[in-house]
Structure formats: C-alpha cells, structure tokens
Amino acid sequence: MDNMWVKKYRPTELSDIVGQKGIINSIQSLLENVSQMPHLLFSGSAGVGKTTTALCIARHILGDNRSNYTLELNASDERGIDMVREKVKRFSRYAGMGDIPFKIIILDEADEMTSGAQTALRRIIEDAAEYCRFIIIANNVSKIIEPIQSRCANFRFTSISKEDMTGKLRQIAKSEGASIDDNTLDMIYDYSDGDMRHSINLMQASVTDSSVTTDSVRAMAGLAKVTDVYRILQMAIDGKFTEARQKTVELIKVYGMSESDFLKYITAAAFKMERIDPAWVVRIIAEYDYRILSGANSEIQLSAMLAELASNKPIS
C-alpha cells in the first residue's frame, strides 16, 4: 500500500487539496471556531476529494487523538439499521473525551443506506450533537433524506479542472522521476473524467522505463479497444446481433473493459455515425444503463440493448 501513489500523495492538510477552493475556504472559516462547527454533508462524483477533506478536518480538530475519537464507516458495506444502532450509536455516546471538542463520525457512501437506517441516523444526529459531529459523504445527495440534509451544512464537490489535475499529475511524476508530456497528461484527464484518484492510479500503472506515454496509457486504460465499440454499434444497427454480442463479451471479459466504459464509448460512437439518429440510440442506452445501475445482470442487459438496437424498433 505504501507504494501506491494515490496513498503516498494524499493530502493531509486542507490547503493541499486539489481544486475545490471555494469549499476549502468555507471549511477553513468554520474551523476558526471549532466548537460551533455543524454537521457536514459532502456530495459529488468519485475521486474529487470528499473523503480526503473529511480526514483532513478530523486531523485538524483531533490531532494525535484522531485514531481514538474518529469513526470511519463505509455505508455501502453495511447499509442497514443494525449498523447505525450497533456501531454509530455506540461510538456517539459520551465517554470522557478529555481536551477534544467532540468525536467525529465519517460516514462514507451514505447514499447507499436504506431509508430506515437513515431515519435512525437522524435521531442519533440530534441526540449526540453536543459531543459528536457527523461528516456524511454521498455521491448522490438526492438519496439522502431531507431531515438529514437539513441538519448539515451542505457542500457540493465538483469535478477537478483540467488545469488543476494535470498540474498535480505533473508534480507527482516529477517526484517519482517519471517523464510525461502534455499530450499524455491530456489523455489521462480525458479518460479519468475529473476523478483524481483514478488519474493517479492510471498514471502509476502506465509507467514503463521511467516514462508515461500515450501508448502505455492507451494500453492500460483499454482505449485501444474504443474503435471496437464503434464497430459493435455498426454491427448492431446492421442487424448483426450475434456478432455484436460476441464482440461485446470479448471486450468486457477478455480485455477488461468495464460495462460503464462500454456504455460511455457506445454513446460517443452514436454521435459519430451519420446514418442513425443519435437521440434514438441514447434513449435506448440510458434505459439499460439505469437497469444495470439498479442491480440487473449486466451481461443480460447489454445483450438486450444490442438486440433492441438490432431490431431498429423498441422491444415491448
């Protein structure tokens, strides 16, 4: 783990966090009077600094006592009410805290919690406010119940800008003695889509002979197979369902392209194909993307999507 750049270069101070300047300034203002800091709700896409910011706050407030008075939970692992009752409630109870102002509970991916668990959490937030602060983290804030949102100061984290991300990547590469040019940095940024964690991992995985090149990034990210997605869409539109499905299974199972990347690339391909209406294709893709995100079997859903595209009419 110590060799992972994403861990090695993770900020430990709020001032070191990349991007999010407005949010960091607001939080630093709140920390000028720590005792009056409210509960916090951080939302935004993956890899934009939400959890890192929460850990920096805990380090700033608790110092050397951080490990004893901070509880960090990932709600996607334990989504139900039992987690709230057994872990959160027990930790939030008062117990001689010495010189620290309050305990801190960091609840990551809270939007994965059930509504019952969130309702139970709301009561704990109310009862423990005197000696405990919650930092609730979610990708999708709309899945957090309104009573919790109203009890927190809300901060919406945005995707990291190209300038900020490439600047940080260039700094890391220099520290590691790896050469990288602007074209390669641009490619990493485009592929990571504003996700700093993903971009650092991709850059480290692409190092070959102390350099990072567009070829190594393309090979590591699976970008060399993007053109195959265009061909798959062509096959499906031409009614060649079986061939399109076989190629899709190959991309995902043999070459390791994720289902989400496949859907992203086939959406882009729809706008490059002149003989079809991209709006029709995108509506179909969106439907099956939603089904996969809702928990349906991804292989079956992608096959059904290709079948619908091949039929040139909606499947009833």
Side-chain angles (χ1 to χ4, degrees):
M1 287 290 290
D2 290 337
N3 292 326
M4 293 179 63
W5 292 357
V6 71
K7 180 179 180 182
K8 183 177 180 180
Y9 294 99
R10 190 175 200 173
T12 57
E13 301 292 338
L14 286 169
S15 57
D16 295 331
I17 291 175
V18 177
Q20 319 301 343
K21 291 182 180 178
I23 290 175
I24 299 306
N25 288 339
S26 296
I27 291 174
Q28 287 174 330
S29 296
L30 290 176
L31 293 178
E32 290 178 2
N33 191 343
V34 170
S35 63
Q36 295 184 14
M37 188 188 87
H39 304 295
L40 305 175
L41 173 58
F42 297 162
S43 63
S45 57
V48 294
K50 304 185 299 297
T51 304
T52 296
T53 300
L55 293 173
C56 287
I57 291 172
R59 184 177 289 104
H60 177 88
I61 294 173
L62 302 176
D64 294 336
N65 296 309
R66 182 175 71 258
S67 59
N68 294 326
Y69 294 102
T70 301
L71 176 65
E72 186 179 1
L73 294 173
N74 191 310
S76 65
D77 296 331
E78 300 177 85
R79 304 173 59 243
I81 197 169
D82 289 342
M83 179 271 288
V84 175
R85 288 174 174 167
E86 293 174 10
K87 293 186 177 181
V88 176
K89 189 173 184 178
R90 182 172 63 246
F91 183 84
S92 64
R93 289 173 179 166
Y94 176 82
M97 295 187 296
D99 296 331
I100 69 165
F102 43 71
K103 299 176 181 179
I104 295 176
I105 296 177
I106 300 172
L107 198 55
D108 211 343
E109 299 191 39
D111 47 336
E112 297 293 331
M113 294 175 65
T114 63
S115 58
Q118 290 192 42
T119 300
L121 178 63
R122 180 198 66 180
R123 293 296 305 273
I124 295 174
I125 290 175
E126 292 176 345
D127 296 341
E130 183 179 351
Y131 39 84
C132 193
R133 293 294 186 279
F134 286 80
I135 304 179
I136 298 171
I137 302 170
N139 290 340
N140 188 348
V141 72
S142 66
K143 292 184 178 180
I144 303 296
I145 62 174
E146 183 59 35
I148 289 181
Q149 291 191 43
S150 65
R151 287 165 172 77
C152 300
N154 299 320
F155 294 94
R156 170 70 182 179
F157 285 63
T158 58
S159 295
I160 297 172
S161 70
K162 183 176 182 178
E163 181 182 1
D164 287 337
M165 179 177 287
T166 56
K168 183 64 175 181
L169 293 176
R170 189 179 288 107
Q171 176 188 336
I172 292 173
K174 182 178 180 180
S175 298
E176 295 293 332
S179 62
I180 188 169
D181 60 30
D182 290 341
N183 289 336
T184 306
L185 287 168
D186 290 345
M187 178 179 286
I188 293 174
Y189 175 80
D190 291 340
Y191 186 76
S192 64
D193 198 25
D195 183 333
M196 177 59 77
R197 179 170 56 244
H198 189 183
S199 68
I200 295 173
N201 284 332
L202 178 56
M203 183 171 70
Q204 182 177 13
S206 303
V207 175
T208 304
D209 296 328
S210 298
S211 66
V212 185
T213 65
T214 54
D215 288 341
S216 64
V217 171
R218 187 180 291 109
M220 187 54 59
L223 292 174
K225 294 297 175 182
V226 173
T227 54
D228 289 340
V229 178
Y230 184 90
R231 289 172 53 205
I232 288 171
L233 180 59
Q234 281 185 315
M235 284 186 258
I237 297 300
D238 290 339
K240 300 176 181 178
F241 165 69
T242 302
E243 293 92 329
R245 181 185 178 279
Q246 288 175 343
K247 194 66 178 176
T248 299
V249 171
E250 178 185 346
L251 279 180
I252 292 172
K253 292 192 173 182
V254 178
Y255 292 99
M257 181 178 288
S258 68
E259 289 85 357
S260 60
D261 281 343
F262 177 82
L263 292 171
K264 179 172 69 174
Y265 295 140
I266 203 168
T267 300
F271 288 92
K272 297 177 181 178
M273 197 171 292
E274 296 180 357
R275 59 195 179 91
I276 62 171
D277 177 8
W280 170 70
V281 177
V282 169
R283 280 194 295 269
I284 293 174
I285 294 171
E287 172 64 27
Y288 289 96
D289 182 38
Y290 176 77
R291 293 182 187 182
I292 292 172
L293 289 173
S294 299
N297 182 282
S298 58
E299 184 175 342
I300 293 174
Q301 293 305 315
L302 290 179
S303 296
M305 181 190 75
L306 295 172
E308 185 167 351
L309 290 170
S311 71
N312 287 315
K313 61 181 180 180
I315 296 176
S316 58

